[in-house]
């Protein structure tokens, strides 16, 4: 790990301007993705801008209209344990409770997870299925515009996520197939029903989270796992690794989508 | 508070310090003015080094020294020795040198190239990474198949065809005769997957040199500090024992991987003298994956000849074992003497022949890993027996019972050199069947099917060999060391006891078990006993802990030493009580004169021994300290039955272990809680091998599973509560009647898991499964069987 300068701003504005003043700085939230990256020397930031001082400002869970609003520094454990989340979008609490292990959930944050855009992370499936908007220090970004590629998002250099807003579905379900070693998703499928529309977000299977229009159309006609049986998921863009080859992942997308529909409430 | 007696489930004394973070591991130690070493490891599997440029690195901040292979050679440091000479059909094994740092050729990913010593670890690492190593890539053989291929490149010039040895045991002619009579011959081909030990504590070492006295000290993560000192004195560092102290303080797990003498132990000790400061090295996790000796890695064919009724007439095994790039300390014996004789198992098969060929490859060396040879044998044999049952249309239990050695046959001479002294394989089988509710299984299978899940039940009836080892036998088979054990019982003046052992505890709970034995012998409380181990300056000698030997061999030495103390105590008591020695009895901590109420407590005798005012000084020395060595008469033979019930999700291939019932015979039990813990840990490791763990190399010799992101370690949450039962038949040839328990969990259970998986999938037409039975592999097997359209009914 290379040396870096450590900053401890106290406000969002302060954090953004501090970060702007660095040549190759990074925000540090829960550190559950960034610290491993530093330890493996996969990145050598000149500066770390700690967001710990923003906890008061950016750690919250609230309901505004038909939206569940979660501050960027809210931990996975807070989301998993929140009565508000369990009431408004119970499947999101299920998702958060399945991230990593207790230590990871106690430190890792929703903002960090979304910004990091790990192809096997859980939240990206929720962002897509629950038609979320990502609020930053300067704008709001729609779910469908946010994830660009592996570890790549629509965020500009130095742009800080402040909150994530999820649309409350009529019902929704999330199911994840764990990699047995890392517990990240080999495949995770989030299914959400909004009146006549259905959104399906898939994570883990490809290098970036994606939606499945074929599944969405079929489920919009009938929200029943059986309607997915005949629809083939293309292997083409799926991750093809020794741990889980593309054909296996494709099949698991269908299996877990069906199970997510079954679990939806 | 439980009484300090044999057989009591007394809580582990050592857990107080371990669970409160007060353990002192090597990496916790900090020596004054200490430097840090970082070793540059090869990223490629096979290459010729054409140049190493350290000039830039030498100028980097904090760098104290940089050592290359040629510096080690120049100081006449030896190469790492192999402790066992296997002589095969055509002569002794090929034994290539195993240098501390390579000089010209790299032979596996992780091979050591150079060592930087600096003021801080980060500085050492940065400088190591700034060293420029030029090399020419050479072709790689990364598997047994690649090593055996026509025209394969040689890992060692002196080993054509990459063959280390070609060895056999058993009566070929008798075996052939058995096969000639066969009604049916069943054949199985299986791979035993390579494993990475992954002790929780990575290896570490600190070397220190005292220029005033010329004394060296090495702190190391070792299961056997005296053995390390012996090897360093005789073969590597060439500093004699009286000038070299080796300390293995608290050690966080070994599983075999910390038996072996590693280069870092020599390098830090040697470098400490060169740089005039202590040198500390701590392994990083990736380094652990590629430099700790691995386990298993066999490819085998097994055949059984059966009579019409299902009797085993003969068996024949052909095994190819991967040694890796170098021969580790015990590696040659693990694939031969610790493996092949166990292929007789619990069965009375009259004729067996085993052939083992060992090969070099460009991979991390393989050596003893929990079970060492015996899991490989058990897996091969119990998969073969299961397959024989299927092909003979016999019940899995029936075929085993029919061929099992019965209690009236002990001592039982196997056709593969071992003589089992005692056992009761039927009793453990019955216990385990009862515990798993065998009768209720078909109902459970049906219930699961109703939920779309496939249930299976799998068995393994096994025997293993522990208590390593009778020195004369081991010596005749090629061992280059004795395998006895030593213990010293020091009774202190006020009656407390300090026990010194040559065995080393790194998770086994010796500090409790051994104190329990001494407390029971002397009739004194547990808290009056302290167990000291792991320091060559304190303990006289010992061969250390591995091969489930600490209690059968080390415990026997303790019993012998306590008996000597009691014998001397009787003489002192006789004098003090003015009685004849023959009339003195020792019981519950008191020396009494037979038939009277005249008595002296243990503490009074101890005091008299050190304050000998009223003492038979003319015939007896003062003091009360006794030492004993114990060399076992035979191996011990724990055994039992392991049964595993799984439930498979056919849509995903996920195998869930729903129940595990085992019944083991580990001889007399000193502390049942510790025995249960050892069995449960072993089971987790064994099920880990069967379902989760795999050290997978690609063709270029890169370890694909070199981190916890893709090497799956078993976790508590992966398992149900294990049902652990015991049925003891005491060992007949050691004083405690104990057999050893450290390894049997990992030995017995893997075939039970895979047999269970195959049982679950049988109706779908799946006929083979390799370890680890990962979800993807199981799913694929189901798809392939479906595509073929085979099913049990169709056959
Ligand atoms: C053992 C382990 C297991 C895990 N398992 C899972 C799993 O099963 N599923 C899963 O989804 N994840 C898993 N994770 C990842 C975990 O969820 C991380 O918490 C998360 O990915 C990052 O959140 P963080 O707060 O720790 O961010 P950090 O690690 O601090 O930061 C990650 C990245 O996001 C940036 N960043 C952080 N906050 C913001 C912000 N507000 N605005 C803009 N950029 C920001 C940082 O600069 C950095 O580039 C696991 C991690 C570990 C260590």
């Amino acid at each position: 790990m290379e040396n870096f300068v450590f900053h401890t701003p106290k406000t969002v504005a302060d954090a953004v301007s501090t970060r702007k003043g660095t040549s190759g700085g990074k925000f540090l939230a829960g550190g559950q993705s960034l610290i491993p990256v530093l330890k493996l020397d996969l990145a050598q930031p000149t500066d770390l801008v700690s967001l710990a001082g923003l906890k008061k400002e950016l750690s919250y869970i609230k309901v505004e209209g038909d939206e569940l609003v979660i501050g960027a520094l809210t931990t996975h454990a807070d989301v998993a344990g929140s009565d508000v989340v369990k009431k408004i979008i119970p499947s999101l609490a299920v998702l958060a409770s399945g991230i990593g292990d207790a230590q990871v959930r106690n430190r890792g944050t929703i903002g960090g997870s979304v910004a990091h855009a790990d192809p096997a992370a859980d939240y990206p499936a929720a962002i897509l299925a629950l038609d979320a908007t990502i609020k930053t220090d300067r704008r709001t970004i729609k779910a469908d515009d946010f994830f660009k590629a592996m570890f790549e998002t629509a965020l500009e250099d130095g742009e800080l996520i402040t909150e994530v807003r999820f649309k409350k579905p009529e019902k929704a379900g999330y199911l994840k197939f764990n990699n047995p070693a890392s517990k990240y998703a080999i495949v995770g499928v989030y299914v959400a029903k909004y009146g006549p529309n259905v959104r399906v977000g898939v994570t883990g299977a490809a290098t970036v989270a994606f939606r499945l229009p074929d599944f969405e159309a079929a489920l919009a006609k009938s929200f029943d796992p059986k309607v997915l049986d005949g629809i083939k998921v293309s292997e083409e863009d799926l991750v093809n690794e020794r741990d889980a080859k593309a054909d296996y992942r494709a099949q698991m997308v269908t299996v877990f989508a069906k199970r997510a529909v079954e679990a939806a409430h | 508070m439980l009484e300090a007696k044999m057989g009591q489930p007394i809580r582990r004394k050592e857990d107080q310090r371990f669970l409160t973070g007060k353990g002192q591991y090597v990496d916790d130690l900090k020596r004054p003015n200490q430097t840090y070493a970082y070793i540059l490891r090869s990223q490629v599997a096979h290459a010729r080094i054409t140049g190493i440029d350290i000039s830039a690195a030498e100028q980097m901040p904090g760098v104290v020294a940089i050592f290359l292979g040629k510096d080690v050679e120049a100081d006449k440091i030896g190469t790492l020795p192999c402790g066992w000479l296997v002589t095969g059909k055509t002569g002794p094994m090929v034994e290539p040198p195993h240098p501390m740092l390579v000089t010209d050729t790299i032979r596996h990913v992780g091979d050591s190239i150079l060592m930087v010593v600096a003021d801080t670890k980060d500085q050492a690492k940065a400088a190591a990474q700034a060293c420029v190593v030029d090399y020419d890539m050479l072709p790689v053989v990364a598997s047994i198949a690649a090593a055996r291929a026509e025209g394969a490149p040689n890992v060692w010039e002196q080993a054509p065809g990459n063959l280390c040895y070609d060895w056999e045991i058993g009566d070929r002619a008798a075996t052939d005769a058995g096969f000639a009579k066969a009604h049916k011959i069943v054949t199985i081909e299986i791979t035993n997957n390579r494993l990475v030990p992954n002790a929780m504590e990575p290896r570490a070492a600190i070397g220190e040199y005292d220029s005033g006295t010329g004394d060296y000290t090495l702190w190391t993560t070792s299961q056997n500090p005296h053995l390390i000192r012996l090897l360093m004195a005789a073969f590597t560092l060439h500093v004699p024992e009286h000038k070299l102290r080796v300390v293995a303080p608290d050690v966080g797990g070994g599983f075999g991987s910390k038996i072996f003498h590693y280069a870092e132990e020599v390098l830090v000790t040697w470098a400490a003298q060169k740089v005039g400061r202590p040198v500390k090295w701590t392994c990083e996790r990736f380094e652990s994956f590629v430099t700790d000796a691995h386990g298993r890695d066999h490819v085998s064919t097994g055949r059984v000849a059966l009579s019409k009724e299902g009797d085993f007439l003969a068996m024949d095994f052909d095994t190819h074992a991967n040694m890796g790039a170098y021969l580790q300390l015990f590696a040659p014996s693990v694939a031969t003497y610790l493996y092949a004789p166990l292929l007789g198992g619990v069965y009375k098969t009259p004729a067996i022949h085993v052939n083992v060929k060992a090969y070099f490859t460009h991979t991390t060396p393989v050596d003893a890993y929990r079970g060492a040879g015996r899991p490989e044998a058990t897996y091969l044999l119990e998969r073969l027996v299961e397959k024989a049952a299927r092909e003979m249309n016999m019940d899995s239990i029936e075929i085993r019972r029919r061929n099992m050695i019965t209690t009236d046959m002990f001592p039982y001479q196997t056709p593969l050199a071992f003589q089992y002294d005692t056992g009761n394989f039927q009793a453990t089988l019955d216990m385990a069947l009862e515990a798993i509710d065998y009768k209720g299984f078909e109902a459970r299978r049906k219930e699961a099917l109703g939920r779309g899940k496939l249930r299976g039940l799998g068995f393994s009836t096994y025997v293993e060999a522990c208590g390593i080892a009778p020195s004369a036998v081991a010596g005749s088979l090629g061992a280059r060391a004795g395998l006895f054990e030593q213990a010293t019982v020091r009774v202190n003046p006020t009656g407390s006891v300090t026990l010194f052992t040559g065995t080393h505890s790194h998770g086994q709970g010796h500090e409790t078990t051994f104190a329990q034995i001494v407390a029971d012998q002397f009739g004194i409380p547990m808290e009056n006993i302290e167990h000291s181990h792991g320091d060559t300056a304190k303990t006289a000698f010992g061969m250390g802990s591995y091969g489930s030997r600490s209690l059968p061999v080390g415990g026997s030495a303790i019993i012998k030493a306590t008996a000597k103390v009691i014998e001397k105590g009787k003489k002192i008591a006789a004098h003090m009580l003015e009685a004849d020695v023959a009339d003195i009895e020792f019981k519950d901590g008191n020396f009494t004169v037979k038939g009277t109420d005249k008595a002296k407590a243990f503490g009074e005798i101890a005091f008299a021994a050190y304050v000998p005012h009223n003492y038979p000084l003319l015939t007896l020395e003062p003091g009360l300290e006794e030492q004993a060595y114990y060399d076992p008469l035979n191996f011990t033979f724990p055994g039992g039955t392991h049964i595993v019930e799984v439930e498979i999700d056919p849509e995903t291939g996920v195998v869930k272990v729903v129940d595990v019932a085992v019944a083991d015979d580990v001889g007399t039990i000193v502390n049942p809680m510790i025995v249960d813990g050892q069995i449960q840990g072993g089971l987790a490791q064994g099920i880990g091998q069967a379902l989760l763990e795999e050290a997978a190399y690609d063709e270029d010799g890169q370890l694909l599973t070199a981190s916890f992101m893709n090497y799956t370690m078993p976790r508590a949450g992966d398992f149900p509560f294990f049902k652990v039962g015991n049925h003891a038949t005491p060992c007949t040839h050691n004083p405690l009647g104990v057999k050893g328990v450290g390894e049997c969990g990992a030995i017995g259970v893997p075939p039970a898991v895979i047999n269970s998986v195959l049982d679950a999938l049988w109706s779908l037409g799946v006929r083979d499964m390799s370890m680890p039975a990962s979800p993807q592999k199981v799913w694929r097997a189901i798809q392939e069987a479906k595509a073929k359209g085979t099913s049990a009914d169709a056959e």
Side-chain angles (χ1 to χ4, degrees):
Chain A
M1 196 190 293
E2 295 291 318
N3 269 335
F4 48 78
V5 183
F6 194 69
H7 306 271
T8 53
K10 294 282 176 284
T11 64
V12 169
D14 201 7
V16 172
S17 70
T18 307
R19 168 73 176 77
K20 205 172 166 191
T22 68
S23 57
K26 272 195 173 297
F27 294 123
L28 175 69
Q32 297 306 295
S33 292
L34 185 53
I35 299 294
V37 163
L38 298 186
K39 283 175 76 173
L40 293 169
D41 254 332
L42 297 174
Q44 290 96 7
T46 55
D47 299 69
L48 283 191
V49 180
S50 169
L51 303 181
L54 282 57
K55 195 96 194 160
K56 262 208 189 106
E57 211 176 331
L58 292 186
S59 173
Y60 52 81
I61 295 169
K62 58 190 179 192
V63 182
E64 283 177 13
D66 66 346
E67 287 186 322
L68 178 71
V69 184
I70 303 180
L73 287 178
T74 311
T75 64
H76 308 325
D78 285 342
V79 174
S82 158
D83 289 335
V84 176
V85 177
K86 283 184 200 162
K87 186 159 160 253
I88 305 293
I89 315 181
S91 49
L92 194 63
V94 170
L95 176 147
S97 71
I99 295 177
D101 49 44
Q103 291 92 326
V104 171
R105 292 193 292 275
N106 283 335
R107 289 210 57 89
T109 66
I110 187 168
S113 178
V114 172
H116 193 60
D118 190 307
D122 294 286
Y123 271 121
I127 301 285
L128 294 179
L130 297 172
D131 199 10
T133 42
I134 288 107
K135 251 187 98 177
T136 74
D137 62 291
R138 57 198 76 161
R139 58 178 169 151
T140 47
I141 307 170
K142 295 222 305 252
D144 290 331
D145 300 332
F146 189 78
F147 296 107
K148 296 293 184 198
M150 189 150 127
F151 303 116
E152 233 185 275
T153 66
L155 291 174
E156 292 163 5
D157 189 43
E159 186 170 4
L160 181 78
I161 298 178
T162 53
E163 66 180 29
V164 182
R165 307 177 71 93
F166 297 98
K167 289 207 182 68
K168 178 180 161 32
E170 194 179 309
K171 52 177 164 174
Y174 178 69
L175 267 168
K176 166 190 190 182
F177 187 27
N178 284 343
N179 175 314
S182 72
K183 304 288 182 200
Y184 274 94
I186 289 175
V187 162
V189 185
Y190 213 126
V191 175
K193 181 167 163 40
Y194 292 92
N197 297 322
V198 173
R199 293 175 68 101
V200 178
V202 181
T203 191
T207 52
V208 64
F210 59 94
R211 285 174 64 188
L212 273 174
D214 292 356
F215 279 26
E216 292 177 354
L219 290 168
K221 279 200 200 110
S222 162
F223 197 71
D224 179 339
K226 284 199 205 78
V227 303
L228 301 179
D229 272 336
I231 312 174
K232 214 173 142 42
V233 177
S234 163
E235 294 170 25
E236 203 164 314
D237 295 323
L238 301 192
V239 176
N240 191 29
E241 279 172 351
R242 188 179 159 275
D243 288 354
K245 300 267 190 197
D247 61 337
Y248 183 51
R249 282 183 205 259
Q251 189 61 43
M252 290 309 109
V253 170
T254 306
V255 169
F256 281 81
K258 287 169 68 179
R259 290 181 184 185
V261 173
E262 245 161 62
H265 62 291
Chain B
M1 182 77 190
L2 290 165
E3 232 187 320
K5 291 271 179 222
M6 298 277 283
Q8 295 292 331
I10 293 171
R11 286 196 178 186
R12 303 197 336 161
K13 288 172 74 168
E14 46 270 75
D15 286 346
Q16 175 68 25
R17 75 173 185 280
F18 292 148
L19 295 178
T20 56
K22 295 284 160 48
Q24 281 290 304
Y25 299 87
V26 174
D27 193 55
D28 293 321
L29 306 174
K30 200 167 174 3
R31 304 302 303 165
N33 205 23
Q34 157 181 303
T35 61
Y36 294 80
Y38 186 87
I39 295 169
L40 186 67
R41 311 285 185 181
S42 171
Q43 309 271 344
V44 299
H46 193 200
R48 177 150 304 114
I49 296 176
T50 55
I52 301 178
D53 182 358
I54 59 170
S55 53
E58 275 179 320
Q59 302 309 314
M60 287 176 61
V63 172
V64 176
I66 300 178
F67 298 107
L68 305 183
K70 64 177 165 48
D71 303 318
V72 177
E73 268 187 8
D75 270 17
K76 306 238 175 321
I77 300 294
T79 54
L80 290 166
C82 181
W84 205 298
L85 175 74
V86 166
T87 302
K89 291 188 275 194
T90 54
M93 66 190 192
V94 178
E95 198 175 349
H98 188 174
M100 307 288 158
L101 298 172
V102 299
T103 47
D104 52 7
T105 307
I106 287 162
R107 287 192 169 82
H108 69 91
V109 169
D111 221 345
S112 310
I113 299 170
L114 57 83
M115 177 170 83
V116 179
V117 176
D119 288 334
T120 70
K121 184 166 182 177
D122 285 344
Q123 289 169 338
K125 188 171 178 176
Q129 284 163 352
C131 294
V132 183
V133 182
D134 290 317
Y135 52 77
D136 293 334
M137 296 284 284
L138 295 169
V140 173
V141 292
S143 65
I144 295 171
R148 298 183 66 234
E150 187 78 35
N154 284 334
V155 180
W156 294 98
E157 224 169 82
Q158 57 270 50
N162 293 308
L163 188 68
C164 174
Y165 56 73
D166 179 359
W167 174 92
E168 67 179 336
I169 187 171
D171 187 334
R172 178 81 269 173
T175 304
D176 288 344
F179 275 91
K181 286 191 303 208
H183 163 75
K184 191 175 182 72
I185 294 171
V186 175
T187 305
I188 197 165
E189 279 177 38
I190 60 170
T191 298
N192 202 289
N193 44 329
R194 183 188 276 240
L195 302 175
V196 181
N198 279 322
M200 198 180 289
E201 178 206 23
R203 289 188 296 117
I206 307 174
E208 188 169 63
Y209 175 70
D210 183 333
S211 59
T213 60
D215 291 345
Y216 290 82
T217 304
L218 166 69
W219 287 266
T220 181
T221 47
S222 177
Q223 302 177 210
N224 29 248
H226 290 84
L227 181 58
I228 299 304
R229 188 185 59 167
L230 172 63
L231 296 172
M232 287 174 78
F235 302 109
T236 57
L237 189 64
H238 302 301
V239 169
E241 281 103 326
H242 68 295
K243 303 305 278 179
L244 175 60
R245 175 183 173 200
V246 177
V247 188
D250 286 332
V251 173
F255 312 106
S257 71
K258 291 173 184 166
I259 301 171
F260 324 120
H261 185 26
Y262 287 95
E264 296 85 2
E265 295 173 320
V266 181
L267 292 172
V268 295
T269 315
W270 168 73
Q273 189 271 334
K274 307 279 282 184
V275 305
R277 289 167 67 185
V279 179
K280 179 186 204 168
W281 168 83
T282 304
C283 200
E284 296 186 343
R285 187 54 73 177
F286 170 74
E287 269 183 295
S288 284
F289 269 96
V290 295
T291 67
D292 293 4
H294 292 174
R296 321 280 191 256
D297 204 344
H298 285 191
V299 176
S300 298
T301 305
R303 294 194 309 149
V304 55
L306 295 124
S307 74
K308 206 167 164 212
E309 295 74 30
D311 294 321
F312 301 157
L313 304 175
M315 292 191 191
D316 181 23
F317 300 96
D318 190 17
T319 289
H320 299 151
N322 192 344
M323 296 284 106
Y326 303 99
L327 287 183
Q328 273 284 6
L329 194 62
F330 287 139
S333 65
V334 172
T336 50
Y337 296 106
L338 292 177
Y339 164 70
L342 273 307
L343 285 162
V346 298
Y347 309 112
K348 50 195 180 200
T349 315
I352 308 174
H353 184 267
V354 188
N355 199 94
V356 180
K357 287 183 179 163
Y359 292 95
F360 293 110
T361 60
H362 293 113
T363 60
T364 297
V366 170
D367 206 328
Y369 170 61
R370 201 170 194 171
R374 293 150 287 161
E376 294 91 314
T378 305
Y379 183 64
L380 178 54
L381 179 59
E382 288 301 295
R383 288 281 315 270
L384 178 63
V385 166
E386 190 62 38
K387 192 168 182 201
R390 299 270 176 192
E391 293 197 6
M392 292 288 289
N393 250 323
M394 282 176 80
D395 178 71
S396 304
I397 308 294
E398 183 42 41
I399 199 168
R400 287 178 166 86
R401 277 199 206 281
R402 181 173 190 94
N403 287 286
M404 240 174 214
I405 298 159
T406 49
T407 49
D408 56 320
M409 295 169 83
F410 294 108
Y412 179 80
Q413 179 61 51
T414 76
L416 295 174
F418 276 154
Q419 193 186 75
Y420 303 157
D421 60 333
T422 178
N424 187 340
F425 305 130
Q426 289 76 12
T428 46
L429 175 58
D430 290 338
M431 275 183 82
L433 287 171
E434 177 76 30
I436 201 98
D437 182 18
Y438 178 57
K439 293 201 186 85
F441 175 69
E442 284 308 325
R444 295 197 293 280
R445 196 203 293 265
K446 232 174 125 185
E447 184 277 331
L449 204 56
R451 291 182 282 110
K453 302 289 193 287
L454 305 168
R455 277 227 175 187
L457 199 61
F459 308 92
S460 163
T461 48
Y462 77 98
V463 64
E464 56 135 338
C466 288
I468 294 169
S471 293
V473 176
S476 73
L477 302 179
R480 288 164 166 163
L483 285 156
F484 53 82
E485 203 39 75
Q486 183 276 141
T488 301
V489 174
R490 176 180 300 162
V491 183
N492 300 309
T494 59
S496 68
V497 173
T498 311
L499 168 70
F500 300 88
T501 68
T503 54
H504 181 274
S505 190
H506 38 277
Q508 298 88 340
H510 292 173
E511 291 171 29
T512 306
T513 301
F514 290 175
Q516 210 168 329
I517 293 172
V518 174
D520 181 80
Q521 288 295 304
F522 290 161
I524 59 175
M526 291 277 286
E527 52 273 23
N528 287 13
I529 301 154
E530 190 65 26
H531 176 213
S532 174
H533 60 97
D535 186 346
T536 61
K538 292 182 181 164
T539 297
F541 198 71
M543 296 304 294
S545 290
Y546 41 83
S548 303
R549 68 192 303 276
S550 296
L551 195 56
V553 189
S556 298
I558 295 172
I559 283 286
K560 278 183 72 181
T562 57
K564 288 184 188 178
V565 168
I566 292 167
E567 200 183 299
K568 184 168 180 182
K570 281 182 178 172
K571 290 179 188 160
I572 302 170
H575 177 89
M576 292 172 76
L577 296 167
E578 295 173 342
D580 199 87
V581 179
D583 291 333
I584 302 292
E585 283 178 335
F586 181 65
K587 208 171 156 248
D588 297 334
N590 285 305
F591 293 89
T592 54
V593 182
K594 223 182 274 176
T596 74
D597 58 358
K598 292 209 290 182
K600 285 281 172 200
F602 183 77
E604 293 178 89
I605 297 299
F607 193 75
Y610 290 95
V611 188
H613 297 164
N614 176 18
Y615 196 88
L617 282 166
L618 289 178
T619 54
L620 204 62
E621 294 169 10
L624 197 54
E625 170 170 335
E626 296 290 348
Q627 182 181 41
Y629 281 75
Y630 178 80
D631 202 286
L633 299 169
N634 188 2
F635 292 86
T636 60
F637 298 96
T641 296
H642 291 184
I643 307 179
V644 172
E645 190 164 328
V646 300
E647 190 169 291
I648 297 176
D649 179 342
E651 286 189 329
T652 61
V654 169
V655 178
K656 189 171 164 212
V657 178
V658 289
D659 204 1
V660 177
V662 304
D664 300 287
D665 175 358
V666 299
T668 306
I669 289 174
V670 178
N671 184 322
M673 192 188 286
I674 287 179
V675 164
D676 274 10
Q678 286 291 311
I679 290 175
Q680 297 198 17
L683 289 172
Q685 243 161 328
I687 300 172
Q689 167 165 31
L691 294 181
L692 307 169
E693 298 185 47
E694 183 180 24
Y697 280 94
D698 69 9
E699 282 174 10
D700 299 327
Q702 293 293 336
L703 182 59
L704 298 171
T705 51
S707 92
F708 292 136
M709 289 297 280
N710 46 25
Y711 187 97
T712 313
M713 293 299 287
R715 296 155 158 99
D718 295 331
F719 305 119
F721 280 99
F722 300 139
K723 296 169 179 160
V724 176
N726 281 289
H727 176 92
T729 62
C731 170
T732 60
H733 57 78
N734 66 41
L736 283 163
V738 298
K739 298 184 180 178
V741 67
E743 297 162 290
C744 53
I747 290 169
V749 85
V753 176
I754 298 300
N755 286 339
S756 171
V757 168
L758 282 172
D759 183 48
L761 300 178
W762 201 262
S763 62
L764 297 183
V766 175
R767 293 292 174 266
D768 194 19
M769 179 55 56
S770 64
M771 299 193 290
S774 65
Q776 179 177 220
K777 204 188 275 175
V778 170
W779 178 83
R780 231 168 259 294
I782 294 171
Q783 307 311 309
E784 277 160 22
K786 275 188 189 158
K788 267 201 225 136
T790 50
S791 78
D793 315 325
E795 273 179 14

